Structures are given as structure tokens and as C-alpha cells.
Short mmCIF file of all heavy atoms in Angstrom, two decimals:
data_model
loop_
_atom_site.label_atom_id
_atom_site.label_comp_id
_atom_site.label_asym_id
_atom_site.label_seq_id
_atom_site.Cartn_x
_atom_site.Cartn_y
_atom_site.Cartn_z
N ASP A 47 -30.81 -24.97 5.60
CA ASP A 47 -29.83 -23.77 5.57
C ASP A 47 -28.51 -24.37 6.03
O ASP A 47 -28.41 -24.67 7.23
CB ASP A 47 -30.41 -22.73 6.28
CG ASP A 47 -29.57 -21.49 6.38
OD1 ASP A 47 -29.05 -21.22 5.26
OD2 ASP A 47 -29.56 -20.68 7.30
N PRO A 48 -27.51 -24.38 5.11
CA PRO A 48 -26.09 -24.90 5.50
C PRO A 48 -25.45 -24.03 6.63
O PRO A 48 -24.56 -24.48 7.38
CB PRO A 48 -25.38 -24.79 4.33
CG PRO A 48 -26.10 -23.93 3.34
CD PRO A 48 -27.57 -23.95 3.78
N ARG A 49 -25.80 -22.78 6.88
CA ARG A 49 -25.23 -21.99 7.90
C ARG A 49 -25.56 -22.44 9.27
O ARG A 49 -24.97 -22.02 10.25
CB ARG A 49 -25.45 -20.46 7.69
CG ARG A 49 -24.90 -19.93 6.47
CD ARG A 49 -25.33 -18.53 6.19
NE ARG A 49 -26.81 -18.68 5.80
CZ ARG A 49 -27.67 -17.60 5.68
NH1 ARG A 49 -27.09 -16.40 5.93
NH2 ARG A 49 -28.94 -17.83 5.47
N GLN A 50 -26.57 -23.29 9.34
CA GLN A 50 -27.04 -23.67 10.67
C GLN A 50 -26.49 -25.09 11.13
O GLN A 50 -26.69 -25.59 12.17
CB GLN A 50 -28.51 -23.74 10.73
CG GLN A 50 -29.14 -22.36 10.53
CD GLN A 50 -30.77 -22.46 10.56
OE1 GLN A 50 -31.29 -23.62 10.59
NE2 GLN A 50 -31.31 -21.32 10.60
N HIS A 51 -25.76 -25.79 10.13
CA HIS A 51 -25.18 -27.06 10.51
C HIS A 51 -23.73 -27.08 10.47
O HIS A 51 -23.12 -26.30 9.67
CB HIS A 51 -25.67 -27.95 9.36
CG HIS A 51 -27.14 -28.16 9.31
ND1 HIS A 51 -27.86 -28.85 10.25
CD2 HIS A 51 -28.06 -27.61 8.36
CE1 HIS A 51 -29.18 -28.77 9.91
NE2 HIS A 51 -29.24 -28.01 8.78
N LEU A 52 -23.15 -27.76 11.26
CA LEU A 52 -21.69 -27.91 11.32
C LEU A 52 -21.10 -28.42 10.00
O LEU A 52 -21.58 -29.50 9.53
CB LEU A 52 -21.13 -28.88 12.49
CG LEU A 52 -19.83 -29.09 12.78
CD1 LEU A 52 -19.16 -27.79 13.21
CD2 LEU A 52 -19.54 -30.09 13.71
N THR A 53 -20.20 -27.73 9.49
CA THR A 53 -19.59 -28.08 8.13
C THR A 53 -18.30 -28.62 8.22
O THR A 53 -17.82 -29.41 7.42
CB THR A 53 -19.64 -26.92 7.12
OG1 THR A 53 -18.95 -25.85 7.71
CG2 THR A 53 -21.09 -26.42 6.86
N ALA A 54 -17.50 -28.29 9.32
CA ALA A 54 -16.10 -28.78 9.41
C ALA A 54 -15.80 -28.75 10.87
O ALA A 54 -16.18 -27.92 11.73
CB ALA A 54 -15.22 -27.91 8.68
N LEU A 55 -14.94 -29.76 11.32
CA LEU A 55 -14.28 -29.86 12.55
C LEU A 55 -12.80 -29.73 12.31
O LEU A 55 -12.26 -30.59 11.62
CB LEU A 55 -14.60 -31.21 13.29
CG LEU A 55 -13.79 -31.59 14.42
CD1 LEU A 55 -13.83 -30.60 15.63
CD2 LEU A 55 -14.17 -32.91 14.99
N ILE A 56 -12.12 -28.90 12.87
CA ILE A 56 -10.72 -28.65 12.61
C ILE A 56 -10.05 -28.99 13.96
O ILE A 56 -10.22 -28.24 15.04
CB ILE A 56 -10.36 -27.25 12.21
CG1 ILE A 56 -11.09 -26.85 10.86
CG2 ILE A 56 -8.80 -27.11 12.06
CD1 ILE A 56 -10.88 -25.49 10.32
N CYS A 57 -9.14 -30.03 13.91
CA CYS A 57 -8.34 -30.47 15.22
C CYS A 57 -7.07 -29.79 15.02
O CYS A 57 -6.36 -29.97 13.97
CB CYS A 57 -8.31 -31.95 15.23
SG CYS A 57 -10.00 -32.71 15.11
N VAL A 58 -6.55 -29.32 16.08
CA VAL A 58 -5.27 -28.55 16.08
C VAL A 58 -4.36 -29.13 17.09
O VAL A 58 -4.69 -29.40 18.38
CB VAL A 58 -5.46 -27.09 16.38
CG1 VAL A 58 -4.21 -26.30 16.07
CG2 VAL A 58 -6.55 -26.53 15.43
N GLY A 59 -3.09 -29.30 16.74
CA GLY A 59 -2.00 -29.73 17.77
C GLY A 59 -1.41 -31.14 17.39
O GLY A 59 -1.62 -31.64 16.42
N ARG A 60 -0.56 -31.42 18.46
CA ARG A 60 0.09 -32.80 18.16
C ARG A 60 -0.74 -33.98 18.12
O ARG A 60 -0.36 -35.00 17.68
CB ARG A 60 1.28 -32.87 19.21
CG ARG A 60 0.87 -33.11 20.57
CD ARG A 60 2.06 -33.35 21.44
NE ARG A 60 1.64 -33.73 22.76
CZ ARG A 60 1.85 -32.93 23.89
NH1 ARG A 60 2.49 -31.83 23.89
NH2 ARG A 60 1.43 -33.40 25.02
N HIS A 61 -1.97 -33.82 18.84
CA HIS A 61 -2.87 -34.92 18.84
C HIS A 61 -4.00 -34.87 17.69
O HIS A 61 -5.02 -35.63 17.79
CB HIS A 61 -3.54 -35.15 20.14
CG HIS A 61 -2.55 -35.43 21.28
ND1 HIS A 61 -1.85 -36.45 21.28
CD2 HIS A 61 -2.10 -34.52 22.18
CE1 HIS A 61 -0.98 -36.40 22.30
NE2 HIS A 61 -1.21 -35.20 22.97
N ALA A 62 -3.89 -33.84 16.76
CA ALA A 62 -4.86 -33.70 15.83
C ALA A 62 -5.16 -34.88 15.00
O ALA A 62 -6.37 -35.13 14.69
CB ALA A 62 -4.47 -32.41 14.99
N GLN A 63 -4.21 -35.62 14.60
CA GLN A 63 -4.43 -36.62 13.67
C GLN A 63 -5.19 -37.71 14.33
O GLN A 63 -6.08 -38.30 13.77
CB GLN A 63 -3.07 -37.27 13.11
CG GLN A 63 -3.20 -38.17 11.99
CD GLN A 63 -3.83 -37.60 10.70
OE1 GLN A 63 -3.52 -36.41 10.39
NE2 GLN A 63 -4.72 -38.26 10.07
N GLY A 64 -4.91 -37.97 15.70
CA GLY A 64 -5.61 -39.04 16.42
C GLY A 64 -7.07 -38.52 16.62
O GLY A 64 -7.91 -39.48 16.51
N MET A 65 -7.30 -37.29 16.82
CA MET A 65 -8.70 -36.76 17.01
C MET A 65 -9.51 -36.87 15.77
O MET A 65 -10.61 -37.21 15.71
CB MET A 65 -8.63 -35.30 17.50
CG MET A 65 -8.20 -35.12 18.93
SD MET A 65 -8.39 -33.34 19.50
CE MET A 65 -7.08 -32.51 18.58
N LYS A 66 -8.75 -36.57 14.63
CA LYS A 66 -9.36 -36.70 13.32
C LYS A 66 -9.82 -38.24 13.12
O LYS A 66 -11.02 -38.43 12.69
CB LYS A 66 -8.57 -36.23 12.19
CG LYS A 66 -9.09 -36.55 10.93
CD LYS A 66 -8.03 -36.08 9.84
CE LYS A 66 -8.76 -36.22 8.37
NZ LYS A 66 -7.86 -35.99 7.28
N GLN A 67 -8.97 -39.17 13.42
CA GLN A 67 -9.34 -40.57 13.10
C GLN A 67 -10.36 -40.98 13.96
O GLN A 67 -11.25 -41.63 13.57
CB GLN A 67 -8.07 -41.36 13.38
CG GLN A 67 -6.99 -41.30 12.36
CD GLN A 67 -5.70 -42.00 12.67
OE1 GLN A 67 -5.56 -42.41 13.79
NE2 GLN A 67 -4.82 -42.11 11.74
N ALA A 68 -10.48 -40.60 15.34
CA ALA A 68 -11.53 -40.88 16.21
C ALA A 68 -12.76 -40.36 15.81
O ALA A 68 -13.92 -40.97 16.09
CB ALA A 68 -11.07 -40.45 17.54
N THR A 69 -12.88 -39.16 15.20
CA THR A 69 -14.15 -38.50 15.00
C THR A 69 -14.67 -38.79 13.67
O THR A 69 -15.88 -38.75 13.22
CB THR A 69 -14.14 -36.97 15.24
OG1 THR A 69 -13.05 -36.52 14.49
CG2 THR A 69 -13.88 -36.74 16.67
N SER A 70 -13.76 -39.04 12.61
CA SER A 70 -14.15 -39.36 11.14
C SER A 70 -15.22 -40.28 11.16
O SER A 70 -15.98 -40.39 10.20
CB SER A 70 -12.91 -39.48 10.31
OG SER A 70 -12.12 -38.37 10.17
N ALA A 71 -14.99 -41.34 11.85
CA ALA A 71 -15.86 -42.53 11.70
C ALA A 71 -17.35 -42.25 12.11
O ALA A 71 -18.24 -42.82 11.65
CB ALA A 71 -15.39 -43.79 12.46
N ILE A 72 -17.49 -41.26 13.07
CA ILE A 72 -18.92 -41.02 13.52
C ILE A 72 -19.39 -39.59 12.89
O ILE A 72 -20.66 -39.37 12.83
CB ILE A 72 -18.97 -40.95 15.00
CG1 ILE A 72 -17.99 -39.96 15.62
CG2 ILE A 72 -18.70 -42.30 15.65
CD1 ILE A 72 -18.16 -39.74 17.09
N ALA A 73 -18.47 -38.75 12.34
CA ALA A 73 -18.94 -37.47 11.83
C ALA A 73 -18.88 -37.54 10.39
O ALA A 73 -18.13 -36.81 9.72
CB ALA A 73 -18.05 -36.45 12.37
N THR A 74 -19.73 -38.46 9.83
CA THR A 74 -19.69 -38.64 8.38
C THR A 74 -20.21 -37.49 7.58
O THR A 74 -19.83 -37.37 6.31
CB THR A 74 -20.42 -39.90 8.04
OG1 THR A 74 -21.84 -39.73 8.48
CG2 THR A 74 -19.82 -41.13 8.64
N SER A 75 -20.98 -36.66 8.10
CA SER A 75 -21.53 -35.51 7.22
C SER A 75 -20.74 -34.15 7.45
O SER A 75 -20.98 -33.17 7.01
CB SER A 75 -22.93 -35.25 7.59
OG SER A 75 -23.08 -34.93 8.96
N VAL A 76 -19.66 -34.28 8.21
CA VAL A 76 -18.79 -33.17 8.43
C VAL A 76 -17.42 -33.46 8.06
O VAL A 76 -16.83 -34.46 8.25
CB VAL A 76 -18.76 -32.92 10.00
CG1 VAL A 76 -17.86 -31.91 10.50
CG2 VAL A 76 -20.08 -32.60 10.56
N GLU A 77 -16.74 -32.46 7.42
CA GLU A 77 -15.34 -32.60 6.98
C GLU A 77 -14.55 -32.39 8.33
O GLU A 77 -14.60 -31.49 9.05
CB GLU A 77 -15.00 -31.47 6.05
CG GLU A 77 -13.52 -31.54 5.69
CD GLU A 77 -13.18 -30.54 4.53
OE1 GLU A 77 -14.09 -29.65 4.14
OE2 GLU A 77 -11.98 -30.54 4.16
N VAL A 78 -13.65 -33.40 8.62
CA VAL A 78 -12.78 -33.39 9.69
C VAL A 78 -11.33 -33.06 9.16
O VAL A 78 -10.95 -34.02 8.36
CB VAL A 78 -12.85 -34.68 10.64
CG1 VAL A 78 -11.96 -34.60 11.78
CG2 VAL A 78 -14.36 -34.94 10.94
N VAL A 79 -10.71 -32.24 9.66
CA VAL A 79 -9.41 -31.70 9.23
C VAL A 79 -8.30 -31.78 10.44
O VAL A 79 -8.71 -31.25 11.59
CB VAL A 79 -9.36 -30.37 8.72
CG1 VAL A 79 -8.21 -29.80 8.24
CG2 VAL A 79 -10.50 -30.21 7.67
N ALA A 80 -7.15 -32.17 10.24
CA ALA A 80 -6.14 -32.29 11.23
C ALA A 80 -5.05 -31.25 10.83
O ALA A 80 -4.56 -31.28 9.71
CB ALA A 80 -5.51 -33.67 11.51
N CYS A 81 -4.80 -30.39 11.66
CA CYS A 81 -3.79 -29.32 11.41
C CYS A 81 -2.71 -29.33 12.58
O CYS A 81 -3.05 -29.48 13.73
CB CYS A 81 -4.36 -27.93 11.41
SG CYS A 81 -5.55 -27.69 10.05
N GLU A 82 -1.39 -29.28 12.18
CA GLU A 82 -0.29 -29.33 13.29
C GLU A 82 -0.29 -27.96 13.97
O GLU A 82 0.14 -27.99 15.09
CB GLU A 82 0.99 -29.60 12.58
CG GLU A 82 0.99 -31.04 12.13
CD GLU A 82 2.48 -31.56 11.66
OE1 GLU A 82 3.42 -30.83 12.20
OE2 GLU A 82 2.57 -32.39 10.95
N ASP A 83 -0.61 -26.94 13.46
CA ASP A 83 -0.42 -25.68 13.98
C ASP A 83 -1.47 -24.58 13.46
O ASP A 83 -2.14 -24.90 12.55
CB ASP A 83 1.07 -25.06 13.90
CG ASP A 83 1.48 -25.01 12.48
OD1 ASP A 83 0.66 -24.67 11.56
OD2 ASP A 83 2.63 -25.31 12.09
N LEU A 84 -1.43 -23.34 14.09
CA LEU A 84 -2.34 -22.31 13.70
C LEU A 84 -2.16 -21.81 12.39
O LEU A 84 -3.17 -21.47 11.68
CB LEU A 84 -2.37 -21.27 14.77
CG LEU A 84 -2.88 -21.57 16.17
CD1 LEU A 84 -2.74 -20.33 17.13
CD2 LEU A 84 -4.30 -22.13 16.21
N GLU A 85 -0.84 -21.82 11.93
CA GLU A 85 -0.71 -21.28 10.52
C GLU A 85 -1.31 -22.21 9.52
O GLU A 85 -1.78 -21.68 8.49
CB GLU A 85 0.89 -21.22 10.30
CG GLU A 85 1.49 -20.02 11.07
CD GLU A 85 1.83 -20.44 12.56
OE1 GLU A 85 1.57 -21.47 13.00
OE2 GLU A 85 2.09 -19.35 13.35
N GLU A 86 -1.32 -23.46 9.87
CA GLU A 86 -1.93 -24.54 9.00
C GLU A 86 -3.42 -24.28 8.97
O GLU A 86 -4.14 -24.39 7.94
CB GLU A 86 -1.67 -25.88 9.24
CG GLU A 86 -2.09 -26.94 8.31
CD GLU A 86 -1.63 -28.39 8.69
OE1 GLU A 86 -0.90 -28.53 9.65
OE2 GLU A 86 -2.09 -29.23 7.89
N VAL A 87 -3.99 -24.03 10.02
CA VAL A 87 -5.41 -23.70 10.16
C VAL A 87 -5.79 -22.48 9.36
O VAL A 87 -6.77 -22.47 8.57
CB VAL A 87 -5.84 -23.51 11.74
CG1 VAL A 87 -7.37 -23.10 11.78
CG2 VAL A 87 -5.70 -24.74 12.38
N ALA A 88 -5.05 -21.36 9.42
CA ALA A 88 -5.24 -20.23 8.80
C ALA A 88 -5.19 -20.47 7.25
O ALA A 88 -6.10 -19.92 6.56
CB ALA A 88 -4.17 -19.12 9.20
N ARG A 89 -4.25 -21.25 6.76
CA ARG A 89 -4.31 -21.48 5.38
C ARG A 89 -5.43 -22.32 4.87
O ARG A 89 -6.11 -21.96 3.85
CB ARG A 89 -2.87 -22.35 4.95
CG ARG A 89 -1.67 -21.49 4.99
CD ARG A 89 -0.58 -22.34 4.44
NE ARG A 89 -0.19 -23.56 5.25
CZ ARG A 89 0.60 -23.57 6.21
NH1 ARG A 89 1.14 -22.59 6.77
NH2 ARG A 89 0.77 -24.73 6.83
N TRP A 90 -5.92 -23.28 5.80
CA TRP A 90 -7.04 -24.06 5.40
C TRP A 90 -8.31 -23.13 5.37
O TRP A 90 -9.15 -23.13 4.32
CB TRP A 90 -7.36 -25.17 6.41
CG TRP A 90 -8.40 -26.13 6.04
CD1 TRP A 90 -8.23 -27.20 5.34
CD2 TRP A 90 -9.93 -25.86 6.25
NE1 TRP A 90 -9.53 -27.93 5.06
CE2 TRP A 90 -10.50 -27.02 5.70
CE3 TRP A 90 -10.58 -25.02 6.80
CZ2 TRP A 90 -11.90 -27.28 5.84
CZ3 TRP A 90 -11.98 -25.06 6.93
CH2 TRP A 90 -12.63 -26.32 6.44
N LEU A 91 -8.46 -22.24 6.30
CA LEU A 91 -9.73 -21.31 6.28
C LEU A 91 -9.67 -20.46 5.12
O LEU A 91 -10.72 -20.10 4.64
CB LEU A 91 -9.67 -20.51 7.76
CG LEU A 91 -9.94 -21.37 8.94
CD1 LEU A 91 -9.73 -20.46 10.25
CD2 LEU A 91 -11.32 -21.87 8.88
N THR A 92 -8.47 -19.92 4.73
CA THR A 92 -8.55 -19.01 3.59
C THR A 92 -8.91 -19.63 2.31
O THR A 92 -9.23 -18.97 1.31
CB THR A 92 -7.23 -18.23 3.48
OG1 THR A 92 -6.14 -19.18 3.31
CG2 THR A 92 -6.90 -17.33 4.64
N LYS A 93 -8.74 -21.01 2.15
CA LYS A 93 -8.94 -21.78 0.89
C LYS A 93 -10.32 -22.34 0.83
O LYS A 93 -10.66 -22.99 -0.10
CB LYS A 93 -7.86 -22.83 0.79
CG LYS A 93 -6.46 -22.32 0.60
CD LYS A 93 -5.48 -23.38 0.45
CE LYS A 93 -4.09 -22.89 0.26
NZ LYS A 93 -3.09 -23.95 0.25
N HIS A 94 -11.01 -22.45 1.89
CA HIS A 94 -12.27 -23.07 1.89
C HIS A 94 -13.50 -22.07 2.26
O HIS A 94 -13.34 -21.13 2.80
CB HIS A 94 -12.39 -24.22 2.94
CG HIS A 94 -11.45 -25.32 2.65
ND1 HIS A 94 -10.11 -25.22 2.81
CD2 HIS A 94 -11.69 -26.49 1.99
CE1 HIS A 94 -9.47 -26.33 2.40
NE2 HIS A 94 -10.44 -27.09 1.93
N GLU A 95 -14.68 -22.48 1.71
CA GLU A 95 -15.88 -21.67 1.98
C GLU A 95 -16.19 -21.70 3.45
O GLU A 95 -15.89 -22.66 4.24
CB GLU A 95 -17.09 -22.30 1.18
CG GLU A 95 -16.93 -22.01 -0.19
CD GLU A 95 -18.23 -22.39 -0.90
OE1 GLU A 95 -19.27 -22.33 -0.31
OE2 GLU A 95 -18.21 -22.76 -2.09
N ARG A 96 -16.73 -20.53 3.82
CA ARG A 96 -17.21 -20.53 5.27
C ARG A 96 -18.45 -21.28 5.53
O ARG A 96 -19.29 -21.48 4.63
CB ARG A 96 -17.36 -18.95 5.66
CG ARG A 96 -16.06 -18.26 5.66
CD ARG A 96 -15.06 -18.72 6.52
NE ARG A 96 -13.87 -17.86 6.69
CZ ARG A 96 -12.83 -17.81 5.92
NH1 ARG A 96 -12.73 -18.59 5.00
NH2 ARG A 96 -11.86 -17.02 6.19
N GLY A 97 -18.58 -21.60 6.61
CA GLY A 97 -19.79 -22.28 7.16
C GLY A 97 -19.74 -22.31 8.72
O GLY A 97 -18.91 -21.49 9.25
N VAL A 98 -20.27 -23.20 9.44
CA VAL A 98 -20.07 -23.40 10.84
C VAL A 98 -18.94 -24.36 10.96
O VAL A 98 -18.91 -25.50 10.62
CB VAL A 98 -21.35 -23.98 11.47
CG1 VAL A 98 -21.21 -24.18 12.91
CG2 VAL A 98 -22.67 -23.05 11.10
N ILE A 99 -17.92 -23.86 11.65
CA ILE A 99 -16.63 -24.48 11.78
C ILE A 99 -16.43 -24.61 13.36
O ILE A 99 -16.38 -23.63 14.04
CB ILE A 99 -15.61 -23.90 11.09
CG1 ILE A 99 -15.77 -23.96 9.58
CG2 ILE A 99 -14.18 -24.54 11.31
CD1 ILE A 99 -14.85 -22.94 8.80
N PHE A 100 -16.00 -25.85 13.76
CA PHE A 100 -15.78 -26.07 15.21
C PHE A 100 -14.16 -26.29 15.22
O PHE A 100 -13.71 -27.10 14.52
CB PHE A 100 -16.48 -27.23 15.70
CG PHE A 100 -16.15 -27.51 17.09
CD1 PHE A 100 -16.90 -26.78 18.14
CD2 PHE A 100 -15.22 -28.40 17.51
CE1 PHE A 100 -16.60 -27.02 19.56
CE2 PHE A 100 -15.03 -28.64 18.91
CZ PHE A 100 -15.68 -27.99 19.87
N LEU A 101 -13.55 -25.53 16.10
CA LEU A 101 -12.07 -25.71 16.26
C LEU A 101 -11.87 -26.35 17.68
O LEU A 101 -12.29 -25.89 18.60
CB LEU A 101 -11.37 -24.26 16.22
CG LEU A 101 -11.54 -23.57 14.94
CD1 LEU A 101 -11.17 -22.14 15.11
CD2 LEU A 101 -10.57 -24.15 13.79
N LYS A 102 -10.96 -27.33 17.66
CA LYS A 102 -10.63 -28.17 18.88
C LYS A 102 -9.14 -28.13 18.99
O LYS A 102 -8.46 -28.60 18.12
CB LYS A 102 -11.09 -29.53 18.80
CG LYS A 102 -10.69 -30.46 19.97
CD LYS A 102 -11.29 -29.99 21.24
CE LYS A 102 -10.77 -30.86 22.37
NZ LYS A 102 -9.85 -30.03 23.31
N ALA A 103 -8.71 -27.59 20.14
CA ALA A 103 -7.31 -27.65 20.43
C ALA A 103 -7.02 -27.60 21.91
O ALA A 103 -7.87 -27.24 22.63
CB ALA A 103 -6.62 -26.32 19.79
N SER A 104 -5.83 -28.04 22.17
CA SER A 104 -5.44 -27.80 23.76
C SER A 104 -4.98 -26.40 23.94
O SER A 104 -4.76 -25.65 23.03
CB SER A 104 -4.27 -28.90 23.92
OG SER A 104 -3.15 -28.43 23.32
N ARG A 105 -4.88 -26.03 25.24
CA ARG A 105 -4.56 -24.66 25.65
C ARG A 105 -3.17 -24.31 25.12
O ARG A 105 -2.90 -23.25 24.80
CB ARG A 105 -4.67 -24.49 27.10
CG ARG A 105 -5.96 -24.41 27.73
CD ARG A 105 -6.63 -23.11 27.36
NE ARG A 105 -5.87 -21.98 27.56
CZ ARG A 105 -5.83 -20.85 26.79
NH1 ARG A 105 -6.39 -20.85 25.49
NH2 ARG A 105 -4.99 -19.92 26.91
N SER A 106 -2.37 -25.40 24.95
CA SER A 106 -0.93 -25.11 24.56
C SER A 106 -0.96 -24.60 23.02
O SER A 106 0.06 -23.95 22.55
CB SER A 106 -0.10 -26.33 24.68
OG SER A 106 -0.54 -27.29 23.87
N ALA A 107 -1.95 -24.88 22.31
CA ALA A 107 -2.12 -24.49 20.96
C ALA A 107 -2.30 -22.85 20.89
O ALA A 107 -2.15 -22.34 19.82
CB ALA A 107 -3.12 -25.21 20.14
N ARG A 108 -2.72 -22.28 21.77
CA ARG A 108 -3.06 -20.86 21.90
C ARG A 108 -4.09 -20.44 20.86
O ARG A 108 -3.65 -19.54 19.95
CB ARG A 108 -1.76 -20.03 21.89
CG ARG A 108 -1.00 -20.28 23.22
CD ARG A 108 0.33 -19.53 23.19
NE ARG A 108 -0.14 -18.12 23.28
CZ ARG A 108 0.72 -17.12 22.82
NH1 ARG A 108 1.83 -17.43 22.27
NH2 ARG A 108 0.30 -15.86 22.78
N LEU A 109 -5.12 -21.14 20.67
CA LEU A 109 -6.16 -20.92 19.62
C LEU A 109 -6.51 -19.33 19.50
O LEU A 109 -6.88 -18.92 18.36
CB LEU A 109 -7.35 -21.75 19.87
CG LEU A 109 -8.27 -22.03 18.84
CD1 LEU A 109 -7.66 -22.55 17.64
CD2 LEU A 109 -9.41 -23.03 19.28
N GLU A 110 -6.39 -18.63 20.52
CA GLU A 110 -6.86 -17.34 20.53
C GLU A 110 -6.02 -16.40 19.64
O GLU A 110 -6.38 -15.40 19.10
CB GLU A 110 -6.82 -16.64 21.95
CG GLU A 110 -5.51 -16.51 22.62
CD GLU A 110 -5.15 -17.80 23.41
OE1 GLU A 110 -5.66 -18.96 23.34
OE2 GLU A 110 -3.97 -17.77 23.93
N ARG A 111 -4.85 -16.91 19.26
CA ARG A 111 -3.96 -16.25 18.28
C ARG A 111 -4.34 -16.46 16.79
O ARG A 111 -3.88 -15.68 15.97
CB ARG A 111 -2.46 -16.76 18.40
CG ARG A 111 -1.82 -16.41 19.82
CD ARG A 111 -0.40 -16.92 19.90
NE ARG A 111 0.34 -16.68 18.64
CZ ARG A 111 0.87 -17.75 17.78
NH1 ARG A 111 0.76 -19.10 18.28
NH2 ARG A 111 1.51 -17.59 16.70
N LEU A 112 -5.37 -17.28 16.52
CA LEU A 112 -5.72 -17.57 15.20
C LEU A 112 -6.20 -16.33 14.46
O LEU A 112 -5.75 -16.07 13.29
CB LEU A 112 -6.85 -18.61 15.18
CG LEU A 112 -7.28 -19.06 13.74
CD1 LEU A 112 -6.08 -19.64 12.87
CD2 LEU A 112 -8.32 -19.99 13.90
N MET A 113 -6.96 -15.51 15.12
CA MET A 113 -7.41 -14.30 14.30
C MET A 113 -6.27 -13.35 13.97
O MET A 113 -6.25 -12.75 12.97
CB MET A 113 -8.46 -13.47 15.23
CG MET A 113 -9.84 -14.17 15.28
SD MET A 113 -10.46 -14.72 13.67
CE MET A 113 -10.82 -13.17 12.94
N GLU A 114 -5.25 -13.17 14.87
CA GLU A 114 -4.07 -12.41 14.56
C GLU A 114 -3.34 -12.93 13.38
O GLU A 114 -2.94 -12.19 12.50
CB GLU A 114 -3.12 -12.33 15.77
CG GLU A 114 -3.71 -11.62 16.99
CD GLU A 114 -2.75 -11.84 18.09
OE1 GLU A 114 -1.51 -12.17 18.03
OE2 GLU A 114 -3.28 -11.61 19.29
N ILE A 115 -3.29 -14.21 13.42
CA ILE A 115 -2.47 -14.88 12.18
C ILE A 115 -3.20 -14.57 10.91
O ILE A 115 -2.53 -14.28 9.88
CB ILE A 115 -2.20 -16.37 12.46
CG1 ILE A 115 -1.26 -16.58 13.75
CG2 ILE A 115 -1.75 -17.17 11.27
CD1 ILE A 115 -1.23 -17.90 14.23
N ILE A 116 -4.47 -14.75 10.86
CA ILE A 116 -5.32 -14.57 9.71
C ILE A 116 -5.19 -13.19 9.21
O ILE A 116 -5.01 -12.82 8.10
CB ILE A 116 -6.79 -15.04 9.88
CG1 ILE A 116 -6.86 -16.45 10.11
CG2 ILE A 116 -7.72 -14.38 8.77
CD1 ILE A 116 -8.27 -17.07 10.49
N GLN A 117 -5.27 -12.21 10.18
CA GLN A 117 -5.36 -10.66 9.76
C GLN A 117 -3.96 -10.36 9.32
O GLN A 117 -3.87 -9.51 8.48
CB GLN A 117 -5.70 -9.93 11.01
CG GLN A 117 -7.28 -10.04 11.39
CD GLN A 117 -7.64 -9.32 12.63
OE1 GLN A 117 -6.73 -9.06 13.49
NE2 GLN A 117 -8.92 -9.19 12.99
N ASP A 118 -2.89 -11.02 9.85
CA ASP A 118 -1.57 -10.57 9.58
C ASP A 118 -1.14 -11.09 8.08
O ASP A 118 -0.24 -10.79 7.50
CB ASP A 118 -0.58 -11.00 10.48
CG ASP A 118 -0.51 -10.18 11.73
OD1 ASP A 118 -1.23 -9.15 11.75
OD2 ASP A 118 -0.05 -10.60 12.83
N GLY A 119 -1.99 -12.04 7.70
CA GLY A 119 -1.87 -12.73 6.34
C GLY A 119 -0.73 -13.67 6.34
O GLY A 119 -0.17 -14.05 5.47
#
């Protein structure tokens, strides 16, 4: 059942590209995405099928704002 398995790891912030590079080599069955900001995350989420998605960001990214950004469109 694909809903029970991690389908994507989204790294957010200025270190996102480095996190993506570090995890892509070991997370071969998971799509790893690097986003600079929450707006980019929202765009990615609206264009891709849902599944189990893990979001990784530092506190400075204010990840809690993501739902507001998605709802505001």
C-alpha cells in the first residue's frame, strides 16, 4: 500500500540542496526535493500526487506557515 511508505522528502531552506545531495544517495526509493522557500514547497505539493511526505526545514523556515500559503493559493 503506497500510503504507508514514504514517497517524498522535501528539504526546505538555504541548506536544502546540500540535504538533498546527502540523502539522495541513500534514499533511492524516495523522491528527494530541494526547495528554497515555502512558496516553492506549496507549488511542488499542488503539482504532485499525495502520499507520505516528510518535510525537513530549520526553524527559520517557519514550516508552520505552509498550510496558510497553500490555502491562500
Side-chain angles (χ1 to χ4, degrees):
D47 185 30
R49 293 174 292 172
Q50 295 178 351
H51 300 286
L52 184 64
T53 54
L55 166 63
I56 302 177
C57 307
V58 186
R60 68 175 190 246
H61 300 293
Q63 196 61 41
M65 288 188 287
K66 177 182 176 179
Q67 290 173 346
T69 57
S70 291
I72 58 172
T74 56
S75 64
V76 174
E77 182 175 2
V78 182
V79 180
C81 296
E82 289 189 25
D83 54 37
L84 295 178
E85 289 78 11
E86 188 176 353
V87 175
R89 286 190 299 274
W90 188 92
L91 289 172
T92 59
K93 293 178 182 178
H94 293 81
E95 286 189 31
R96 297 298 192 271
V98 178
I99 299 171
F100 182 81
L101 297 163
K102 172 62 181 118
S104 65
R105 284 292 310 135
S106 64
R108 297 185 58 211
L109 196 54
E110 66 276 4
R111 292 184 39 241
L112 182 59
M113 289 309 297
E114 294 172 21
I115 292 170
I116 291 172
Q117 290 173 346
D118 292 344

